C-alpha cells in the first residue's frame, strides 16, 4: 500500500474590480501576452478535460511549455488545473484559481495548490518556491483588472 502524502500551499491577491472582471481577464488566454509576466502565453479551450498550453517564465526569465488539464471550471468563481510530472504516483499537482468575495467587501484571487506523490516530500522546497512565484501572476491580474473601465467585463 502506497501512502499519498499531500502538501498544500495558498496565495491570495486583492483585486481592484469585480468577480466578473477578474474572471474575464483570467479566462482570456489570448490576452495573456499583454499583461502576464509569469505566463506570457496561454492557449486552449476553457472546458473541463481540455489540455491547455501555458508558457511559464522560469527564474532565468526563459518561458517553458507546461500542459495541464482543466479539471473544472465554474464561471465566474473557480478554474482548476491538474498536471502530473512523470507518473501520477510520483508528483501530481492540482492548482485552483478561485475568485472570492463580493463587490461590497472586495474580491480577491485565491490560488491553491495540492501536491501529492512519492517525490513531493523530497521536492517540496522547490515546488513551494515555484508556487510563490505565482504571486506575480496575481499582481499582474490585479493590474489588468484595475485598468479596465468601470463596469466593463
Amino acid at each position: 500500500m502506497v501512502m499519498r502524502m499531500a502538501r498544500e500551499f495558498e496565495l491570495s491577491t486583492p483585486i481592484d474590480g469585480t468577480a466578473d472582471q477578474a474572471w474575464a481577464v483570467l479566462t482570456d488566454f489570448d490576452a495573456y501576452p499583454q499583461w502576464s509576466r509569469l505566463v506570457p502565453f496561454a492557449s486552449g479551450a476553457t472546458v473541463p478535460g481540455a489540455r491547455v498550453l501555458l508558457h511559464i517564465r522560469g527564474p532565468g526569465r526563459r518561458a517553458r511549455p507546461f500542459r495541464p488539464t482543466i479539471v473544472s471550471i465554474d464561471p465566474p468563481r473557480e478554474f482548476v488545473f491538474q498536471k502530473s510530472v512523470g507518473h501520477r504516483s510520483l508528483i501530481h499537482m492540482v492548482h485552483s484559481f478561485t475568485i472570492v468575495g463580493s463587490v461590497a467587501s472586495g474580491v480577491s484571487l485565491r490560488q491553491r495548490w495540492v501536491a501529492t506523490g512519492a517525490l513531493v516530500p523530497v521536492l517540496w522546497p522547490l515546488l513551494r518556491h515555484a508556487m510563490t512565484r505565482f504571486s506575480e501572476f496575481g499582481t499582474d491580474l490585479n493590474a489588468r483588472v484595475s485598468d479596465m473601465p468601470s463596469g466593463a467585463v
Side-chain angles (χ1 to χ4, degrees):
M1 181 163 119
V2 176
M3 290 188 60
R4 294 188 58 154
M5 177 182 250
R7 299 277 174 107
E8 298 179 21
F9 184 74
E10 190 172 300
L11 293 170
S12 185
T13 307
I15 303 295
D16 297 324
T18 67
D20 287 335
Q21 289 172 320
W23 184 259
V25 172
L26 181 64
T27 57
D28 183 4
F29 288 167
D30 291 339
Y32 272 41
Q34 299 167 20
W35 64 268
S36 180
R37 294 171 288 164
L38 185 67
V39 185
F41 178 84
S43 69
T46 54
V47 296
R51 284 190 68 199
V52 297
L53 174 60
L54 308 174
H55 289 187
I56 300 177
R57 210 177 291 283
R61 306 311 287 168
R62 184 171 168 220
R64 296 185 181 263
F66 187 69
R67 293 193 57 90
T69 300
I70 296 175
V71 175
S72 65
I73 189 163
D74 182 17
R77 294 290 171 198
E78 189 169 60
F79 193 11
V80 182
F81 291 117
Q82 71 177 359
K83 175 74 174 148
S84 295
V85 178
H87 188 271
R88 185 180 179 119
S89 66
L90 297 176
I91 299 176
H92 182 73
M93 304 281 293
V94 176
H95 183 179
S96 62
F97 299 86
T98 307
I99 300 166
V100 296
S102 66
V103 176
S105 63
V107 298
S108 62
L109 173 68
R110 184 180 70 204
Q111 296 182 71
R112 182 172 183 261
W113 291 261
V114 177
T116 56
L119 295 179
V120 169
V122 174
L123 296 176
W124 185 246
L126 293 171
L127 295 170
R128 189 174 188 279
H129 176 72
M131 293 174 218
T132 59
R133 295 186 62 246
F134 271 83
S135 64
E136 180 179 286
F137 183 84
T139 300
D140 288 352
L141 183 119
N142 178 53
R144 180 71 170 190
V145 171
S146 296
D147 287 344
M148 295 175 83
S150 182
V153 175

